[in-house]
Amino acid sequence: DTKTREAVSDLQILHERVIHTFIVSQDFRTFAHTHHEDFFPLTPQDIAAAQFHFPYTFPQAGTYLIASEFTHKDRSWVKQFTVNAVGSNQGQPGEVIADLVRTKAFGQYQVSLTTSPDPPVVGHDAELVLHLTRGGTPVSDLCLHLGTEVHMASWRLDGAHFGHQHTYTPAMAKMMAMMSDHTSNPNHMAKMMVQLMRGPAQQAYWGPTLPVHHVFPDAGVYKLFFECAPGGKPIVMDFMIRVEEYSEGKDTTVHSIVPPSMPTEGSSS
């Protein structure tokens, strides 16, 4: 705590972990989403000291971007770092070239990405939807992964504007509708969103589509990493999208696949 200089011993668990750490190489060729609890038991001493640790092997020498996200008093925080890994296997970072292909193969999975609006617009909500098939058959066996059906980590290609989002559920859609109707204080709504994500995980999607919502803060090309677990086995999928500045008359409407009243199998939202 910057005021008391004391360790923050009451961090909250969000999506089954105390701190979520994302590590990406500057050229976006390597990506990791890791946590203390993936390797070591979380002890009372760790929590009291607010000290968390995990191993990571940098695949080659070079510059890496690190973003750590944690939650305290129903507010999520992100702290970002840049690390230069040294070694004899120094790679050439090279130019990061925009690859805006929206359908890709990841192992046995064929995955497509759509957005609404298309393209996303700076400062306006956008819905990003993944559609997964396996051997030509729509995936229907998605499992929860760290308390949600999908995690998305994003950076602009210059390394700026890190973002971390999760599945956009009917319960979240209902809360967003309340916000748009100005029926609740935004700070209160933000706390409600955190509390919703801290609650027991309830699966809303088994496939083949997975929606995520995000507001991009600035124009440019963004790298997106998605993590989900079809058949219970986590996979990582990556895409790039271009985000445009707002201009008069530009359509910013989100045609969501998740209306607030959408019925979901196995849930009662």
Side-chain angles (χ1 to χ4, degrees):
D1 189 302
T2 56
K3 294 181 180 179
T4 67
R5 299 297 177 183
E6 297 291 331
V8 181
S9 59
D10 56 345
L11 294 178
Q12 297 165 284
I13 294 176
L14 192 71
H15 288 293
E16 302 180 359
R17 299 292 187 268
V18 174
I19 293 183
H20 295 259
T21 298
F22 301 87
I23 305 173
V24 69
S25 58
Q26 192 174 38
D27 59 10
F28 297 105
R29 294 178 183 175
T30 64
F31 168 80
H33 174 189
T34 189
H35 322 80
H36 172 113
E37 301 94 315
D38 297 346
F39 302 94
F40 311 104
L42 191 61
T43 68
Q45 291 77 18
D46 294 325
I47 296 172
Q51 292 184 346
F52 309 95
H53 55 98
F54 52 83
Y56 180 73
T57 301
F58 293 95
Q60 65 179 27
T63 301
Y64 291 80
L65 309 176
I66 300 178
S68 288
E69 184 178 49
F70 57 92
T71 303
H72 184 234
K73 295 182 178 179
D74 289 337
R75 178 178 174 182
S76 289
W77 300 80
V78 174
K79 301 298 180 180
Q80 299 185 65
F81 312 90
T82 300
V83 171
N84 292 312
V86 299
S88 58
N89 61 339
Q90 176 73 48
Q92 297 299 321
E95 181 183 3
V96 182
I97 299 174
D99 175 9
L100 303 178
V101 173
R102 293 287 191 92
T103 299
K104 293 184 176 182
F106 301 97
Q108 61 181 316
Y109 297 97
Q110 192 83 3
V111 184
S112 62
L113 172 67
T114 58
T115 71
S116 177
D118 189 9
V121 178
V122 169
H124 293 265
D125 195 29
E127 182 166 284
L128 302 93
V129 179
L130 296 173
H131 186 276
L132 289 80
T133 61
R134 182 196 298 114
T137 301
V139 166
S140 60
D141 59 352
L142 289 172
C143 296
L144 292 176
H145 176 56
L146 295 171
T148 185
E149 293 89 345
V150 65
H151 288 260
M152 183 190 84
S154 62
W155 289 265
R156 199 168 65 176
L157 292 193
D158 61 358
H161 306 310
F162 169 78
H164 176 207
Q165 300 291 352
H166 313 96
T167 316
Y168 185 68
T169 65
M172 291 180 181
K174 184 177 181 179
M175 292 179 64
M176 293 296 290
M178 291 172 60
M179 291 178 66
S180 65
D181 291 340
H182 306 290
T183 57
S184 184
N185 181 282
N187 291 331
H188 177 62
M189 294 299 295
K191 287 187 175 182
M192 289 178 61
M193 189 69 76
V194 168
Q195 290 170 0
L196 179 65
M197 291 188 291
R198 289 188 64 232
Q202 293 187 349
Q203 188 163 354
Y205 304 97
W206 284 257
T209 55
L210 283 171
V212 174
H213 274 224
H214 189 59
V215 177
F216 292 94
D218 209 346
V221 176
Y222 286 74
K223 181 75 171 189
L224 315 176
F225 293 93
F226 296 92
E227 301 169 88
C228 67
K233 298 180 180 179
I235 62 172
V236 176
M237 304 155 286
D238 63 282
F239 292 89
M240 291 185 187
I241 62 170
R242 188 180 302 279
V243 177
E244 295 188 354
E245 293 280 9
Y246 176 77
S247 59
E248 190 67 30
K250 186 178 288 291
D251 184 15
T252 60
T253 305
V254 174
H255 299 283
S256 180
I257 67 168
V258 195
S261 59
M262 169 185 160
T264 58
E265 179 183 350
S267 68
S268 56
S269 62

